[in-house]
Amino acid sequence: MSKVLRCIVIDDEPLGREVIESFIEKIPFLTLSNSFGDPLEALGYLQNVEIDIVLTDIQMPKINGLELIQSLQNPPAVIFITAHRDFALDGFDTGAKDYLVKPVRFDRFLKAVNRAKDYIENTKKPKTEALTDRIFIKTEGKLVKILLKDILYVEAQGDYLKIATEKTSYTTLSTMKSMDEALKLPDFFRVQRSFIINLSAVQAVNGNMVELNNGKVISLAISKKEELFSILGL
């Protein structure tokens, strides 16, 4: 049986809190530990109580949701809930697991908390299991370790793959299928046949083009657009 995950809700609007609280009650693996209209009270609570998931608005008086999460030394899994789509990319920069736009639908909420649940379960696996924060590739006759967080994108180039990081890039004989199995949501997304991107590296989305932090612009397949926009809360 899965562990019950403890949640708190932070929103200065009472109706917004009530909606999310009612959603939490419907999901067996969630329990509401507390609910706050004042983000500073929530901050004090988070500094003293261990919580699994924080569901927070962004625009609030005194301190906004982004600032609140950034002030925590070891933040829980975070899902931002707001009426403003423009904050989506900023939300993912904080390590948020999802971003929901008001009015929030229950099916979309369920998808977000399942994503947070998967993240929590994966990060709390015993250390004796295989390391999942890195990959080893064969390049130039040797095995090279690459941390997943450093990967910006992977590009198919015939029988080879180009793996780009902020500092350098590597070429290895491999397939996109095998890389798809190593690089998965919630951190990576295959935007088209030839590219997998790190979602935390997304700087902007313009129509069918995705711009990464290093300036790389990659076209987005039409069949992938709706899914990507849903993930980014756009």
Side-chain angles (χ1 to χ4, degrees):
M1 182 176 179
S2 297
K3 171 190 173 184
V4 174
L5 302 178
R6 292 160 295 182
C7 309
I8 69 168
V9 178
I10 311 171
D11 195 331
D12 59 310
E13 298 179 355
L15 181 59
R17 294 197 304 275
E18 290 173 10
V19 169
I20 301 306
E21 289 166 11
S22 70
F23 287 172
I24 291 172
E25 290 179 0
K26 297 177 181 178
I27 300 176
F29 63 80
L30 297 182
T31 185
L32 180 65
S33 291
N34 217 321
S35 185
F36 297 92
D38 185 333
L40 290 181
E41 289 184 9
L43 179 58
Y45 185 83
L46 285 168
Q47 290 171 337
N48 293 285
V49 180
E50 186 177 347
I51 294 298
D52 297 301
I53 301 175
V54 174
L55 300 131
T56 180
D57 191 12
I58 291 183
Q59 280 200 319
M60 295 181 290
K62 301 178 183 177
I63 180 173
N64 68 44
L66 296 171
E67 294 167 338
L68 186 152
I69 298 304
Q70 289 168 344
S71 70
L72 297 174
Q73 189 170 4
N74 295 300
V78 178
I79 298 172
F80 285 115
I81 305 172
T82 182
H84 303 278
R85 296 175 182 270
D86 295 341
F87 288 120
L89 296 179
D90 290 335
F92 277 103
D93 283 343
T94 68
K97 301 311 157 199
D98 212 332
Y99 181 102
L100 302 177
V101 178
K102 296 179 181 179
V104 181
R105 304 190 318 271
F106 178 74
D107 63 326
R108 185 65 181 86
F109 178 83
L110 180 59
K111 184 176 181 179
V113 294
N114 270 312
R115 184 171 292 153
K117 176 175 176 285
D118 289 344
Y119 167 79
I120 292 167
E121 291 177 347
N122 288 333
T123 56
K124 292 186 177 180
K125 286 181 178 178
K127 292 183 179 179
T128 54
E129 295 188 8
L131 295 172
T132 57
D133 65 341
R134 66 201 66 187
I135 58 173
F136 281 86
I137 64 165
K138 189 172 183 179
T139 182
E140 298 179 353
K142 59 184 177 182
L143 289 172
V144 176
K145 177 183 74 177
I146 306 176
L147 296 179
L148 299 189
K149 67 181 181 62
D150 293 337
I151 297 174
L152 296 176
Y153 66 89
V154 177
E155 178 183 2
Q157 297 182 336
D159 293 331
Y160 292 83
L161 296 180
K162 174 183 176 182
I163 302 174
T165 69
E166 290 188 359
K167 295 182 179 179
T168 187
S169 63
Y170 305 89
T171 300
T172 184
L173 181 63
S174 188
T175 65
M176 286 295 276
K177 181 180 179 180
S178 65
M179 197 57 64
D180 248 345
E181 294 173 353
L183 307 179
K184 299 179 179 179
L185 285 170
D187 301 308
F188 292 88
F189 182 75
R190 190 167 180 177
V191 293
Q192 50 139 297
R193 182 176 181 181
S194 299
F195 281 92
I196 298 171
I197 65 169
N198 188 331
L199 290 169
S200 66
V202 175
Q203 181 66 32
V205 180
N206 183 10
N208 290 330
M209 307 301 293
V210 178
E211 181 181 341
L212 303 184
N213 292 337
N214 67 340
K216 176 73 173 180
V217 178
I218 299 169
S219 63
L220 172 63
I222 295 176
S223 61
K224 296 283 189 174
K225 186 173 182 178
E226 183 177 349
E227 185 178 359
L228 178 62
F229 275 36
S230 175
I231 293 169
L232 295 178
L234 301 176

